[in-house]
Amino acid sequence: MTSLPDAAKNMESSSKQCGKSSYRSLGKKPPSRPQGPIKVLSTTKTSATIEWRAPEDDGGLPLSAYVLEKREFPRSTWSRVDKISPDMTSNTIQNLTTGSDYFFRVMAENKAGPSPPLEMDKPVRIKSPYVVPEPPTGPVYFSHLDATSVVLDWRAPRDDGGAPVLNYRIEVSQNQETWTEVTIVDGDLTKTKAKNLATDKKHYFRIFAINKVGTSKPLESDAVTPKRPVGPPGKPVGPLEAKAITRDSVQLDWKPPQDDGGLPITGYIIEKREAMRMTWSRADKTTDDEDTGGTCHWR
């Protein structure tokens, strides 16, 4: 015996079939398949937007809907995604799995039934349209080098991954194994000054570009060695002491300067001034007939 609910379902199904048959008996038919190919307009981490064209033949009846289905590769079964207005020939399919490959197909419907499906030939991988940027463009240029700092210059990545570079991260190492962050600068800057470096030690730098997706591989620099700029030495350390004074000679004692100017001390210049005069003269230019009596100042 057939239950009342089953009977109702059978009657509804029979009514639909009769309706379709009646349309077909009047020379009406389901539409032809939508026109392809199916185009993937964009993807995100969990969605894909596809587009197609209306069927060439509507079967003699207005289209009533498009039915969209998906199939995750390598599975063989299809599942319905959506049923949308016949005025729409694009749709964003949600709730997909990141990194998975999907086939999509579209069927047009009218009151006589559904069309054959328009299917994709190749699957689409679900992923973000953005990726991490390429490394900054090298080489790294060094300038304004001194004992503990140096200025670095570089250029932006050739490819920002589809999203603007937000920041650059600069790191330093003395052995290319252990790296320490120097600073992070804004993405519109490609120049920075690294400070607090070790004098006379080799330093290596690497620079990362960062966008909203993540961090690029690094651009690595050649070695650079902070050195003091070469210049004159500081003054000798006093006091300047005169010893072993004779009629025509004197022994002078002093200490080397605390700052050699970045180069070894090669010699000292000694000058003297007689007490009653204002001018200084090189001590090694004193002539034999010069009067050496009286008081002299030395430097």
Side-chain angles (χ1 to χ4, degrees):
M1 180 180 294
T2 303
S3 66
L4 288 176
D6 290 341
K9 288 181 181 178
N10 291 337
M11 289 176 63
E12 182 181 358
S13 176
S14 298
S15 175
K16 289 182 179 179
Q17 294 299 324
C18 289
K20 292 179 180 179
S21 298
S22 63
Y23 280 113
R24 292 173 183 174
S25 66
L26 295 174
K28 310 302 182 181
K29 59 183 180 179
S32 60
R33 79 179 70 233
Q35 296 184 78
I38 294 175
K39 295 181 180 179
V40 179
L41 301 181
S42 64
T43 63
T44 70
K45 291 182 179 179
T46 58
S47 70
T49 299
I50 62 173
E51 183 182 57
W52 62 93
R53 290 180 295 147
E56 288 184 341
D57 182 3
D58 62 9
L61 292 168
L63 296 182
S64 57
Y66 287 107
V67 176
L68 283 70
E69 295 183 341
K70 69 179 180 181
R71 177 169 68 85
E72 185 175 356
F73 181 81
R75 296 178 180 175
S76 58
T77 57
W78 292 87
S79 60
R80 178 175 288 199
V81 172
D82 208 349
K83 187 172 184 177
I84 62 174
S85 165
D87 298 327
M88 300 172 62
T89 54
S90 66
N91 186 258
T92 299
I93 301 165
Q94 305 282 358
N95 302 317
L96 304 176
T97 302
T98 303
S100 293
D101 295 327
Y102 286 87
F103 289 93
F104 300 110
R105 68 182 184 183
V106 183
M107 291 162 282
E109 278 191 352
N110 63 15
K111 289 186 176 181
S115 73
L118 169 67
E119 297 186 12
M120 295 175 61
D121 294 329
K122 296 179 180 180
V124 58
R125 177 156 294 176
I126 304 306
K127 62 180 182 180
S128 170
Y130 308 110
V131 296
V132 298
E134 290 186 0
T137 304
V140 178
Y141 293 99
F142 298 112
S143 62
H144 300 88
L145 180 67
D146 62 25
T148 59
S149 68
V150 66
V151 173
L152 292 75
D153 280 274
W154 64 93
R155 289 178 291 158
R158 292 185 178 90
D159 185 350
D160 62 10
V165 173
L166 302 176
N167 300 101
Y168 292 101
R169 186 174 77 244
I170 297 89
E171 297 179 351
V172 66
S173 174
Q174 292 187 29
N175 57 16
Q176 294 182 293
E177 294 179 359
T178 303
W179 295 87
T180 303
E181 183 178 295
V182 174
T183 187
I184 294 178
V185 300
D186 290 340
D188 56 353
L189 300 177
T190 55
K191 183 176 184 178
T192 194
K193 185 174 185 177
K195 303 177 182 179
N196 302 318
L197 306 178
T199 305
D200 295 327
K201 301 289 186 181
K202 284 186 178 181
H203 291 71
Y204 301 87
F205 291 89
R206 64 184 186 183
I207 305 170
F208 300 84
I210 304 169
N211 67 8
K212 68 179 183 179
V213 179
T215 302
S216 73
K217 293 181 179 179
L219 164 66
E220 298 193 6
S221 76
D222 293 331
V224 62
T225 303
K227 290 183 177 294
R228 296 189 55 186
V230 176
K235 68 179 180 180
V237 176
L240 179 61
E241 297 180 335
K243 299 178 179 179
I245 301 171
T246 69
R247 180 178 180 279
D248 57 3
S249 68
V250 64
Q251 176 184 322
L252 300 175
D253 290 342
W254 63 90
K255 295 179 181 179
Q258 293 180 345
D259 180 4
D260 64 7
L263 293 171
I265 300 295
T266 57
Y268 295 93
I269 297 173
I270 302 169
E271 296 181 340
K272 71 174 183 177
R273 178 175 65 83
E274 294 185 21
M276 302 301 294
R277 297 183 180 181
M278 300 298 295
T279 58
W280 292 86
S281 61
R282 291 277 290 268
D284 57 0
K285 291 185 177 180
T286 302
T287 59
D288 292 339
D289 59 355
E290 182 177 354
D291 182 9
T292 56
T295 302
C296 288
H297 297 276
W298 300 89
R299 68 180 185 183

